[in-house]
């Protein structure tokens, strides 16, 4: 008898655009695993609990979790990994015979492409643009793996932001970067690493042509590492500007692949065939940009 197909999927809202099915189904196919990954769009937050109850009953083997439910699922799970506990956000769920365990692979996924630069980051300031779940993962990775001298968080409205209350993190307004002589501008210019954890520059958005760092500000320069979590397009406006300024650039596709590989390992105890997955993803992103 052939083994029953294991079902995995992505929990989110209006996430048909996701490349996660391509990534995981390519990996399952390369390894000839009887598994299939699909998308579960959940329209409202109050329906997430019912969805997880259904997952237990149906034996769905695991989930990825994305916007806006990474925090919603936390109290609905049976246990959390240490990483998920640390930031109270889950992006991967494993179903162990009806026991749902939450993990966060965003932290390891974010850190992976930065690890070769760890020595040059230690003891120097870093900057993160955005204050959502992606920035939480970046903050935790910096604290546990890279030990910068200071973390500055640039957000839309620091006065109204309630999620980021840690006094050890400096908070600035994104809008202040337009002022060339502002303290915010100086902090970004001095940062060894600048992370874009906002969706600005994503293909298909009204601001797809924009960079979260004003192009005319001359804040990016040689000696910096500019890391854009946006993965489509591969060359975002921020990365193009950073490359022109002589900075080292890291595209968001690297985090996407690394966090996906960590989730795949949790589900299957196997390593993702990265060459085949990377090739499939590059082909798809290239095609979608035409």
């Amino acid at each position: 008898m052939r083994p029953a197909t294991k079902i995995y999927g992505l929990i989110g809202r209006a996430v048909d655009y996701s490349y996660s099915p391509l990534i995981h189904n390519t990996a399952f196919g390369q390894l000839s695993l009887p598994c299939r990954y699909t998308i579960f769009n959940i329209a409202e937050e109050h329906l997430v609990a019912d969805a997880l109850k259904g997952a237990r009953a149906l034996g769905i083997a695991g989930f990825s979790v994305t916007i806006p439910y990474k925090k919603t699922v936390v109290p609905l799970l049976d246990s959390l990994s240490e990483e998920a506990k640390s930031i109270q956000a889950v992006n991967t769920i494993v179903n162990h015979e009806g026991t749902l365990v939450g993990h966060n692979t965003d932290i390891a996924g974010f850190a992976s492409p930065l690890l070769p630069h760890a020595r040059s980051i230690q003891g120097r300031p870093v900057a993160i643009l955005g204050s959502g779940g992606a920035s939480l993962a970046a903050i935790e990775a910096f604290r546990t793996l890279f030990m910068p001298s200071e973390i500055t968080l640039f957000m839309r409205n620091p006065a109204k932001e309630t999620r980021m209350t840690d006094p050890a993190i400096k908070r600035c307004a994104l809008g202040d970067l337009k002022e060339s002589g502002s303290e915010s501008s100086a902090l970004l210019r001095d940062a060894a690493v600048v992370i874009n954890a906002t969706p600005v520059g994503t293909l298909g958005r009204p601001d797809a042509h924009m960079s979260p760092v004003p192009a005319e500000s001359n804040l990016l320069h040689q000696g910096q590492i500019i890391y854009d979590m946006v993965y489509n397009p591969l060359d975002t406006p921020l990365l193009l500007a950073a490359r022109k300024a002589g900075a080292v650039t890291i595209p968001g596709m690297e985090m996407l692949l690394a966090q996906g590989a960590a989730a795949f390992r949790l589900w299957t105890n196997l390593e993702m065939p990265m060459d085949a997955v990377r090739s499939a993803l590059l082909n798809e992103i290239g095609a979608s940009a035409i």
Side-chain angles (χ1 to χ4, degrees):
M1 291 179 62
R2 296 179 65 184
T5 300
K6 289 185 176 181
I7 302 298
Y8 297 86
L10 173 65
I11 290 176
R13 181 190 294 161
V15 287
D16 288 334
Y17 63 83
S18 173
Y19 289 115
S20 291
L22 173 68
I23 290 170
H24 291 291
N25 287 326
T26 298
F28 292 146
Q30 286 288 314
L31 299 178
S32 300
L33 297 176
C35 304
R36 194 70 185 166
Y37 188 105
T38 188
I39 286 175
F40 297 100
N41 280 310
I42 300 176
E44 300 294 339
E45 185 174 354
H46 71 273
L47 297 173
V48 174
D50 290 337
L52 293 179
K53 287 179 184 176
R56 285 188 174 92
L58 294 169
I60 295 175
F63 294 101
S64 308
V65 186
T66 190
I67 297 170
Y69 301 132
K70 291 186 180 186
K71 287 188 172 290
T72 303
V73 300
V74 169
L76 304 173
L77 302 176
D78 298 301
S79 63
L80 300 176
S81 69
E82 289 304 313
E83 292 82 4
K85 282 181 186 175
S86 68
I87 61 173
Q88 287 295 295
V90 163
N91 80 323
T92 303
I93 298 172
V94 182
N95 185 353
H96 294 291
E97 298 180 351
T99 298
L100 301 184
V101 181
H103 299 262
N104 193 300
T105 68
D106 281 338
I107 298 169
F110 168 82
S112 180
L114 272 182
L115 290 174
H117 307 283
R119 285 190 178 182
S120 64
I121 298 170
Q122 186 173 353
R124 299 180 65 195
V126 299
I128 301 170
L129 312 178
S131 58
S135 64
L136 289 172
I139 289 168
E140 186 67 11
F142 275 128
R143 282 176 164 168
T144 57
L145 297 171
F146 298 101
M147 283 76 74
S149 61
E150 183 177 67
I151 299 174
T152 300
L153 200 60
F154 291 84
M155 53 187 71
R156 199 169 289 170
N157 193 334
K160 292 185 177 180
E161 180 58 65
T162 58
R163 285 173 294 183
M164 298 292 179
T165 57
D166 188 334
I169 296 175
K170 187 169 286 189
R171 297 162 22 135
C172 295
L174 266 169
D176 289 348
L177 293 177
K178 296 176 182 177
E179 305 296 330
S180 60
S182 67
E183 180 190 8
S184 295
S185 296
L187 287 167
L188 194 87
R189 190 179 292 110
D190 291 344
V193 184
V194 177
I195 308 296
N196 178 32
T198 79
V200 175
T202 301
L203 193 69
R205 284 176 53 95
D207 54 15
H209 64 290
M210 297 174 62
S211 165
V213 177
E216 67 280 3
S217 62
N218 296 318
L219 297 177
L220 309 179
H221 55 82
Q222 189 174 6
Q224 284 181 316
I225 299 167
I226 311 301
Y227 184 163
D228 198 338
M229 290 189 183
V230 172
Y231 57 80
N232 191 10
L234 290 174
D235 287 322
T236 63
L238 173 62
L239 293 181
L240 290 171
R243 204 170 296 134
K244 186 176 179 180
V248 173
T249 58
I250 299 175
M253 189 185 76
E254 297 305 321
M255 177 177 175
L256 178 68
L257 286 169
Q259 65 83 22
F264 188 84
R265 195 177 304 118
L266 287 168
W267 292 330
T268 66
N269 291 316
L270 296 171
E271 294 299 319
M272 180 176 277
M274 293 301 289
D275 289 345
V277 172
R278 183 184 295 275
S279 177
L281 185 59
L282 283 170
N283 287 339
E284 184 68 19
I285 291 178
S288 70
I290 295 174

